[in-house]
Amino acid sequence: MSKMLRSRTAGVGLTLAVALGLATAAGVAASWPGEAAPSFWSMMRAGVGESAGTYLYDSLDDLTPGAPASGAFTPAAALLEGTVVGIEPGIAFGSDDSASTAPVVGYDTPDAAIRYASLVVKVDRVLSGKLGLGQQNGQIRLQIEQPKQSTLADLRASIGSAGHGLFYVHNALERHQAAGRAVPQALAGYLASVHLPIGEGVFVEQAPGQPVIAPLMDSPERVDQILNGAPAPVEEPPDLPSPRPPKPSDFPHDDNPDGTPTAAPVPDPTDDPDASAVDVPDPVTTDTPGPGAGEPTVGTPTLDQLRSRAVRAACTAGTSTTPATC
């Protein structure tokens, strides 16, 4: 079975924004007076654009730092265990059509068609590989699409339910450089400051002892495949009135089919860095929390079980940070 990864629609501009503080308990009470606040991941998944592409990897082991690259998919640089402690504004675009000319706009302006927030993750320990650039005070910032239906204030107010988990990551600048992409000097500072969730590889327990969820993955079937070795979900082609001519963003960003790197005139840190295979022209947007944000798939492991499995894979790849346990 070929390695596959679902592509996601993203803009291709960059901007810097002022980081804001974490919510206080008073802020939580003010946002939802008289009722419990929605969970963080249920709000993060609500309304996020999705696309029906193909998958470029088959299992959790393929994400492991040091695992063999397929030519279309490159594993993460590091696997860390950490806790989500905040969310900050990041990058906003005036267009969400993935065009290389997508304008950069103010994060909070009405002109923002798509926003990418920075999820602040406190690094408890690195289990595999190495974290490069972008660490600050024991934390990294993970680039995540912000749903249009959720404000940063609402997301901050629910941050306490985001949980603790495993994160497969790669610094954005280092991943661009590894792929041989040109990086304009004006963008290098931002790229160096953020990490990308490789293969949507975020697995968290929302409360201690609960089964993990994979909040960035689109379907329960995909979660079941990655975590439990189930068959890959069948990709149904979308019903389109007529094909459109291909555009540059339709092709892999990490590597071309012949294995040569694709050089982009303007780096796109908002693109899934683990090689989008095909962007569909009309991504589906839903107004309800996506699968994986609520109830875990039957048989989903606990974080302890998932950690043990991830460490075994790191031992096999030779990238475990605790080789004595291998």
Side-chain angles (χ1 to χ4, degrees):
M1 182 169 59
S2 63
K3 301 186 186 303
M4 301 181 290
L5 169 73
R6 174 157 293 179
S7 65
R8 299 176 68 83
T9 299
V12 283
L14 294 173
T15 192
L16 299 179
V18 178
L20 301 179
L22 299 178
T24 63
V28 174
S31 298
W32 294 280
E35 60 182 88
S39 70
F40 178 81
W41 291 112
S42 67
M43 289 195 297
M44 276 299 303
R45 292 301 301 149
V48 171
E50 298 176 2
S51 59
T54 56
Y55 293 115
L56 294 174
Y57 71 94
D58 298 330
S59 74
L60 193 66
D61 294 349
D62 295 327
L63 296 176
T64 303
S70 69
F73 177 78
T74 302
L79 165 61
L80 65 90
E81 182 173 351
T83 304
V84 179
V85 296
I87 187 167
E88 303 171 349
I91 307 166
F93 310 96
S95 170
D96 61 0
D97 61 0
S98 293
S100 60
T101 57
V104 176
V105 298
Y107 198 87
D108 293 322
T109 65
D111 295 332
I114 191 168
R115 298 178 177 89
Y116 288 85
S118 295
L119 198 64
V120 184
V121 179
K122 175 182 173 293
V123 179
D124 297 318
R125 54 179 170 166
V126 177
L127 298 174
S128 176
K130 294 182 180 179
L131 280 175
L133 299 172
Q135 303 176 70
Q136 185 175 10
N137 299 323
Q139 300 176 340
I140 65 167
R141 280 156 177 78
L142 202 62
Q143 186 172 270
I144 303 290
E145 183 180 349
Q146 178 185 330
K148 295 178 182 178
Q149 291 86 344
S150 300
T151 67
L152 275 176
D154 287 342
L155 292 167
R156 286 196 195 94
S158 66
I159 202 70
S161 64
H164 175 85
L166 303 180
F167 303 82
Y168 291 83
V169 301
H170 204 151
N171 174 264
L173 178 61
E174 292 175 337
R175 196 163 181 93
H176 276 77
Q177 292 173 335
R181 302 181 205 166
V183 179
Q185 186 62 36
L187 306 181
Y190 173 79
L191 291 172
S193 72
V194 296
H195 281 72
L196 303 160
I198 304 307
E200 300 177 336
V202 172
F203 306 95
V204 298
E205 57 175 9
Q206 294 173 291
Q210 286 188 352
V212 299
I213 62 170
L216 301 185
M217 292 188 179
D218 292 339
S219 69
E221 293 80 14
R222 177 60 168 165
V223 176
D224 196 29
Q225 180 208 2
I226 295 302
L227 296 183
N228 301 315
V234 177
E235 297 293 337
E236 297 293 339
D239 294 328
L240 301 176
S242 60
R244 60 156 172 78
K247 59 182 181 179
S249 61
D250 287 341
F251 299 97
H253 292 280
D254 270 357
D255 298 283
N256 287 317
D258 62 1
T260 60
T262 299
V266 179
D268 178 9
T270 65
D271 199 313
D272 260 348
D274 24 38
S276 329
V278 177
D279 288 339
V280 295
D282 297 308
V284 177
T285 299
T286 175
D287 293 329
T288 58
E295 293 299 321
T297 303
V298 174
T300 300
T302 64
L303 185 62
D304 287 345
Q305 292 170 331
L306 186 63
R307 185 193 301 108
S308 295
R309 177 180 163 191
V311 169
R312 288 197 301 270
C315 288
T316 300
T319 55
S320 172
T321 57
T322 55
T325 63
C326 295

